[in-house]
Amino acid sequence: MEASAAAAASRPPSFATQTNALLRKNLIFQKRNGKATIWLILIPIFLCLLLSVLQRVINNLLDQPRFRKSKSCPAIVPFTGANETVSNAIMKNLFISSTLSNLSHLVSVSNLLLGTDVRGTSTGFIEPAFVSDQPIYVIRPQCKSSDSDILITVDATDDQKEIKCVQGLPLWRNSSKTINEETFQGYRNGKKGEGIYEITMGYDFQESNEKFLNVLALYNSSYQNNSFIPTLPFGLQRVSRSLNVVSNAYLKFLLGPGAEMLLKFIKEMPKHSTRQAFEFSTAVGPLFFEWVVALLFPVMLTYLVYEKQHKLRTMMKMHGLGDGPYWIINYSYFLILSTLYLVMFVLFGSLIGLNFFKMNDYSIQFVFFFSFINLQIVLSFLAATLFTKVNTAQAIAYVYIFGSGFMAGALIHNFIEGEFPRHWITVLEIIPAFALYRGLYELGQYAIRASATGYPGMRWGDLNDRNNGMKDVLIIIVLEWLVLLPIAYYFDHASSAGHKSSPLSMIKCVLNKKATWRRINANAIVNEDIHVELEMIDIIKEREVVDQILQQRSSGYAIVCDDLKKLYHGKDGNPDKFAVRGVSLALPYGECLGILGPNGAGKSSFISMMIGLTKPTSGNAFVEDFNIQTDMENIYNNMGVCPQNDMLWEILTGREHLQFYGRLKNLNGSSLDLAVEESLRSVNLLHGGAPDKQVRTYSGGMQRRLSVAISLIGDAKVVYMDEPSTGLDPASRKSLWCAVKQAKQDRAIILTTHSMEEAEVLCDRLCIMVDGRLQCIGSPKELIARYGGYYVLTITTSLEFERVVQKLVLELSPRARKVYHLSGTQKHELPKQEVRIADVFTAMENLKKRADVQAWGLADTTTEDVFVKVATARRSSDELS
């Protein structure tokens, strides 16, 4: 079983395997983060409720009498006819000028021109205006102060009915066509500049004269007059009363004021309620709804930049996760989240009665919103390549959505209303925020028309209307998505670990060219200081080994570095800085190489080049015969990394981290469970419930051990560890060392550390790097033998005996060298060939008799002494040069 698991782990993970691993991890992550996701999806509900409450508040305010349109503008009666004189004479008799204060019962108002706000019913048997609590309006040429709030008795009952006066105004029009257009436009577009007219009824007297009456009644029949009882059919419009009124006017024209025919019912003018209403949700819809839809943009951008800022994307990539699976899983998640978000928005908005959603075809809304959220997802991926900090990305994203919303509202709305050239509006819609606003604007306009006229909202056939911009918006959104999708993928691919390259190198990767064993010359590097120095023999031998390996087609080595160099160009007038200067080394399988060096020596820059975070300025390296310049994708499949800073998801457990990275290494089923258990046991994280605790509850040492376990899980043939034991207690450090020593049997491990003890325990060979150059390389014993050859004598006395100690040391060895001196403590190096240990003990016994010796010790050369000596010698050489 172990052999089959190892064989499976050695194969590169397939596309499906990577997708499955990331999907499982993301499902767990989203499950832990479920409350935040649910709250995000519920945001549209709260916004719709807010909009609905504001709409009701505004409607209640506008229902107050001071906002009635009839108070500010008269109710007009447009009329026309072949004989203007006769028509005007008839219209003068349309209104009765008697005072309303003389009215006492319903019969006394029958000969007046009446109106009501109450909707009609499906039958004329009972007039709903009689039984409602709404007043009845009398249309008169002029309203007097005495005409307000008159109460009359309804038939023989004691019920009182309120009568109010509304001014009426007959207006001549040149043709019935003009009346027809004016009546259809109605109160919404009738008189924009000065106010709004309510049209009671239009009349065309045609050929009427003193001998006969031929009148055509004109009214707006386009409105679907819903019955005031919702379950009944459409309500009737009171057209008969309008004909009776004009007939009475004609009789008075012929026979005098006393002639009349009475009808004991009232009309609706003929359209039902002219109630003052302001469609707040529809009017502010384009801007408000744009912000609601665009609110998802900073959410998605934050998610992507968070993984980038905390190096989680880099960590996944270095363990074999490709860009394709990453895009598919995250794109799908964003698409599902956005779809649920907008479905809740449209659905709940419709349920609470927002005309913006109810009136328009839902399929058009779905296509529009679905197209835009796909474009918004692509924009999130593209924008994520520009940011490295979550706070910066969030701030700029929110500024963008609110700023672009205001700009779109100001420009698009004004340009459309101001008849701006159509093609320039289309150019503006190339900006995604402007395209979103234009689509919402069109939906809003059709919703306003539907609520005002009873016509249906936007339908698919309306997209062919040249004044409807929705068709252009949909085309622009889809085309932008098709164009920006590959661009966003390329920039994301190029900016991620191992792909900070030119388009040409990307094309080479796509063509899957084989790695070639060749050197990359440093001819392009300029301004490098030329040092003529005698290199150490071990560095020369290592370079010779590299030269021999490069002559072979297949090296059999895990890692081969050929004259790697890294140059950082100076900024603000600072000189260029060489971080790595010509590193050449070869590392076989089964060996652990330790890299030692002071801070700023170039260790991290070297590791960064090897794991694909940065590109070499010159030189080359091969990992399992794959070129780090062009084949990092293949290298990642068999590479493990323990970074200097832990890159972990805070809300995932240790076990879930190992399962995710194990799946990326092609482990599954029982082999995955076994590998996870073994990894946890090797780093002492198996007990105390630690495997199933979230990482945010781990101590720094536990997180460090988990990072080491992640780097070793699976069968990664090359492992990089950057100071793996930092922050560990002695017991955990010993356990960790055992795990690393066991893992290096068939792997190549490069380890950086500041612990000399760790280097001696784990590393088969050590190299010391100073100022970007390798100073020496060899096993710990070889380095001690080469750079040691002396004993270290440490003596601590009172200050007055320091000269005595110096004299004693020179007597033991004339070539002794003082390496440390502070407050009575002196440390000297004594060449082994000149000193015997017995002589040192005898001299110290004699010194104790004549001086105050507080402490003393004699030690052989350690790795730390070698490190200090090599680093100090190199720095002294640089200062002299």
Side-chain angles (χ1 to χ4, degrees):
M1 180 181 291
E2 293 182 0
S4 62
S10 63
R11 296 193 302 268
S14 65
F15 187 93
T17 300
Q18 298 175 49
T19 304
N20 175 62
L22 185 58
L23 175 61
R24 288 171 176 263
K25 188 272 295 180
N26 278 8
L27 288 176
I28 296 173
F29 184 88
Q30 295 305 328
K31 181 180 179 180
R32 299 268 164 78
N33 206 30
K35 289 184 178 179
T37 304
I38 292 174
W39 277 110
L40 177 63
I41 295 175
L42 293 179
I43 283 178
I45 295 180
F46 295 112
L47 294 176
C48 287
L49 285 174
L50 174 62
L51 209 57
S52 178
V53 169
L54 291 175
Q55 179 70 70
R56 292 179 184 275
V57 169
I58 291 174
N59 286 346
N60 289 335
L61 289 174
L62 294 177
D63 278 342
Q64 298 178 12
R66 65 177 181 273
F67 291 109
R68 274 196 51 81
K69 295 176 182 180
S70 300
K71 295 290 185 179
S72 58
C73 297
I76 68 169
V77 184
F79 67 96
T80 187
N83 191 327
E84 184 176 356
T85 303
V86 173
S87 299
N88 276 304
I90 296 174
M91 292 302 294
K92 288 180 181 180
N93 295 294
L94 191 67
F95 303 116
I96 303 299
S97 59
S98 60
T99 60
L100 298 184
S101 58
N102 296 328
L103 303 177
S104 60
H105 53 85
L106 189 60
V107 176
S108 61
V109 300
S110 298
N111 60 342
L112 303 179
L113 184 56
L114 306 178
T116 181
D117 286 338
V118 181
R119 294 174 183 265
T121 61
S122 59
T123 176
F125 182 72
I126 298 177
E127 172 53 56
F130 291 157
V131 295
S132 73
D133 57 356
Q134 298 296 317
I136 294 176
Y137 300 99
V138 176
I139 305 175
R140 297 168 49 79
Q142 293 292 333
C143 290
K144 303 176 183 179
S145 58
S146 59
D147 292 340
S148 59
D149 300 335
I150 306 298
L151 295 178
I152 65 171
T153 302
V154 179
D155 289 339
T157 68
D158 295 331
D159 293 336
Q160 298 290 308
K161 198 67 183 175
E162 183 182 8
I163 300 292
K164 290 189 176 183
C165 177
V166 175
Q167 181 186 3
L169 179 64
L171 292 177
W172 169 261
R173 296 291 184 260
N174 292 325
S175 66
S176 60
K177 179 180 179 182
T178 303
I179 298 176
N180 211 27
E181 293 176 352
E182 189 173 345
T183 305
F184 177 76
Q185 290 176 345
Y187 66 88
R188 188 163 72 93
N189 294 324
K191 190 180 178 188
K192 296 180 180 178
E194 303 173 11
I196 299 175
Y197 281 154
E198 293 187 63
I199 300 176
T200 61
M201 178 68 79
Y203 296 106
D204 183 0
F205 290 101
Q206 300 183 351
E207 302 296 333
S208 299
N209 54 36
E210 291 83 352
K211 295 183 179 181
F212 69 93
L213 174 66
N214 185 14
V215 63
L216 176 66
L218 303 171
Y219 61 94
N220 188 351
S221 63
S222 63
Y223 198 95
Q224 297 179 5
N225 178 24
N226 295 323
S227 172
F228 80 111
I229 301 177
T231 57
L232 296 179
F234 292 145
L236 300 177
Q237 293 179 312
R238 291 91 162 191
V239 181
S240 301
R241 179 62 183 174
S242 301
L243 293 175
N244 174 251
V245 168
V246 75
S247 298
N248 278 336
Y250 182 73
L251 288 176
K252 292 174 182 178
F253 163 68
L254 291 179
L255 305 176
E260 61 183 3
M261 293 186 299
L262 298 181
L263 286 177
K264 193 177 177 180
F265 59 86
I266 57 178
K267 63 175 285 294
E268 199 233 359
M269 296 193 185
K271 190 179 76 65
H272 77 76
S273 174
T274 57
R275 171 175 171 266
Q276 169 79 337
F278 175 64
E279 281 290 334
F280 178 77
S281 61
T282 305
V284 303
L287 180 58
F288 182 81
F289 295 152
E290 173 166 355
W291 287 340
V292 174
V293 176
L295 189 63
L296 290 170
F297 176 71
V299 173
M300 295 183 291
L301 183 61
T302 299
Y303 184 91
L304 295 172
V305 178
Y306 175 85
E307 290 192 338
K308 187 177 180 181
Q309 176 180 333
H310 292 83
K311 309 295 185 184
L312 296 171
R313 172 79 184 279
T314 301
M315 188 70 172
M316 290 187 288
K317 194 169 185 66
M318 289 189 298
H319 283 81
L321 181 67
D323 292 322
Y326 181 84
W327 263 69
I328 287 178
I329 295 301
N330 284 289
Y331 194 104
S332 301
Y333 166 67
F334 291 152
L335 186 59
I336 293 172
L337 177 66
S338 301
T339 302
L340 290 176
Y341 179 90
L342 290 174
V343 166
M344 292 294 293
F345 188 39
V346 175
L347 181 62
F348 194 77
S350 300
L351 290 176
I352 65 175
L354 295 182
N355 289 333
F356 188 95
F357 302 113
K358 287 174 54 181
M359 297 297 184
N360 296 304
D361 193 309
Y362 285 107
S363 62
I364 295 179
Q365 296 181 60
F366 175 79
V367 171
F368 171 65
F369 286 126
F370 188 78
S371 301
F372 186 80
I373 61 177
N374 276 275
L375 176 59
Q376 189 164 248
I377 293 171
V378 172
L379 290 174
S380 300
F381 276 99
L382 184 60
T385 62
L386 305 176
F387 300 101
T388 57
K389 299 294 183 182
V390 170
N391 292 338
T392 304
Q394 283 181 329
I396 294 179
Y398 281 112
V399 169
Y400 165 74
I401 62 174
F402 286 107
S404 61
F406 278 121
M407 290 182 62
L411 296 178
I412 293 293
H413 184 271
N414 291 334
F415 286 172
I416 294 175
E417 297 291 338
E419 298 182 356
F420 198 74
R422 182 183 178 90
H423 62 277
W424 285 113
I425 298 177
T426 304
V427 170
L428 283 177
E429 291 166 1
I430 295 176
I431 302 174
F434 286 57
L436 174 60
Y437 185 91
R438 178 65 188 277
L440 295 171
Y441 173 84
E442 294 295 341
L443 291 172
Q445 291 301 303
Y446 274 83
I448 291 175
R449 189 191 74 169
S451 62
T453 65
Y455 274 12
M458 186 181 294
R459 297 295 183 263
W460 284 107
D462 296 323
L463 269 61
N464 295 322
D465 184 355
R466 64 178 303 273
N467 294 321
N468 187 343
M470 179 62 79
K471 183 177 181 181
D472 293 341
V473 167
L474 291 176
I475 293 173
I476 289 173
I477 290 176
V478 172
L479 289 178
E480 281 190 333
W481 180 79
L482 292 174
V483 171
L484 292 179
L485 180 63
I487 293 176
Y489 183 84
Y490 169 73
F491 278 104
D492 178 75
H493 181 83
S495 64
S496 60
H499 292 286
K500 296 179 180 179
S501 54
S502 64
L504 181 60
S505 62
M506 181 181 174
I507 294 173
K508 292 181 179 179
C509 291
V510 172
L511 294 176
N512 198 23
K513 289 189 175 182
K514 300 295 183 180
T516 56
W517 288 87
R518 60 185 180 85
R519 294 178 183 270
I520 298 179
N521 296 322
N523 295 332
I525 303 176
V526 295
N527 297 328
E528 178 182 4
D529 296 333
I530 300 176
H531 294 271
V532 180
E533 58 182 346
L534 181 62
E535 289 187 309
M536 297 298 176
I537 187 66
D538 49 353
I539 302 298
I540 296 175
K541 288 183 177 180
E542 189 72 15
R543 181 169 288 124
E544 291 175 352
V545 171
V546 170
D547 290 338
Q548 293 176 2
I549 294 172
L550 292 176
Q551 304 302 321
Q552 306 171 17
R553 182 65 181 173
S554 179
S555 66
Y557 278 72
I559 298 174
V560 179
C561 299
D562 178 27
D563 198 29
L564 272 183
K565 295 181 181 181
K566 182 60 182 178
L567 173 68
Y568 292 103
H569 294 287
K571 297 180 180 179
D572 301 326
N574 295 317
D576 295 345
K577 169 66 177 177
F578 262 99
V580 179
R581 302 172 182 262
V583 172
S584 295
L585 57 86
L587 185 64
Y589 293 101
E591 181 177 292
C592 178
L593 174 67
I595 302 179
L596 308 177
N599 293 330
K603 305 185 300 297
S604 296
S605 296
F606 171 73
I607 295 294
S608 296
M609 289 189 289
M610 296 303 298
I611 63 178
L613 291 181
T614 59
K615 284 180 63 67
T617 306
S618 69
N620 208 352
F622 302 90
V623 179
E624 292 194 297
D625 294 347
F626 290 111
N627 192 326
I628 67 169
Q629 300 274 9
T630 58
D631 298 316
M632 285 306 301
E633 289 281 359
N634 294 319
I635 294 173
Y636 286 147
N637 292 331
N638 290 300
M639 187 178 81
V641 179
C642 174
Q644 188 173 14
N645 299 313
D646 300 313
M647 302 176 185
L648 306 169
W649 287 272
E650 292 183 347
I651 63 176
L652 297 185
T653 66
R655 187 188 304 276
E656 289 162 353
H657 275 86
L658 291 171
Q659 287 174 340
F660 169 60
Y661 287 108
R663 291 188 180 100
L664 287 181
K665 299 300 182 185
N666 245 354
L667 297 174
N668 54 69
S670 59
S671 60
L672 174 62
D673 296 335
L674 183 63
V676 170
E677 293 293 319
E678 185 59 33
S679 296
L680 292 169
R681 183 181 294 107
S682 66
V683 294
N684 198 22
L685 284 177
L686 191 58
H687 305 291
D692 300 312
K693 292 181 179 178
Q694 295 183 17
V695 167
R696 62 185 172 188
T697 65
Y698 282 15
S699 65
M702 295 172 70
Q703 293 184 15
R704 197 76 196 127
R705 282 180 276 159
L706 178 60
S707 295
V708 173
I710 290 173
S711 68
L712 296 176
I713 195 169
D715 192 34
K717 295 301 182 182
V718 176
V719 179
Y720 300 94
M721 295 186 176
D722 197 352
E723 302 181 17
S725 62
T726 301
L728 298 185
D729 59 87
S732 298
R733 187 182 298 116
K734 298 291 184 183
S735 175
L736 181 67
W737 290 349
C738 292
V740 175
K741 284 195 292 185
Q742 183 179 0
K744 76 177 183 180
Q745 295 176 1
D746 57 347
R747 314 180 196 216
I749 299 177
I750 291 183
L751 179 147
T752 67
T753 181
H754 288 292
S755 170
M756 298 302 119
E757 181 184 8
E758 182 175 64
E760 290 181 350
V761 172
L762 296 180
C763 300
D764 300 287
R765 289 195 299 165
L766 295 175
C767 63
I768 299 177
M769 181 180 287
V770 180
D771 193 27
R773 288 187 175 88
L774 293 183
Q775 304 302 313
C776 59
I777 187 169
S779 66
K781 291 183 179 180
E782 291 174 346
L783 295 181
I784 290 174
R786 187 181 311 144
Y787 294 97
Y790 55 85
Y791 297 112
V792 178
L793 177 61
T794 305
I795 304 174
T796 302
T797 63
S798 303
L799 294 177
E800 61 266 24
F801 295 108
E802 288 183 347
R803 291 185 178 275
V804 176
V805 171
Q806 294 177 13
K807 183 179 179 181
L808 173 65
V809 172
L810 291 175
E811 290 176 354
L812 289 171
S813 173
R815 292 198 300 159
R817 186 169 66 93
K818 185 190 294 184
V819 295
Y820 182 81
H821 183 193
L822 180 64
S823 299
T825 299
Q826 301 180 62
K827 184 183 290 187
H828 295 82
E829 293 178 351
L830 308 179
K832 290 183 179 181
Q833 61 271 23
E834 296 182 358
V835 178
R836 294 189 307 166
I837 296 179
D839 294 339
V840 175
F841 275 84
T842 301
M844 289 306 302
E845 289 298 324
N846 293 332
L847 179 63
K848 288 180 180 181
K849 296 177 182 179
R850 52 194 175 90
D852 180 19
V853 178
Q854 299 174 4
W856 76 279
L858 182 67
D860 200 353
T861 308
T862 63
T863 308
E864 182 176 357
D865 296 326
V866 173
F867 171 72
V868 172
K869 185 174 182 179
V870 172
T872 304
R874 178 63 200 181
R875 287 177 179 174
S876 300
S877 174
D878 288 342
E879 291 174 0
L880 290 174
S881 62

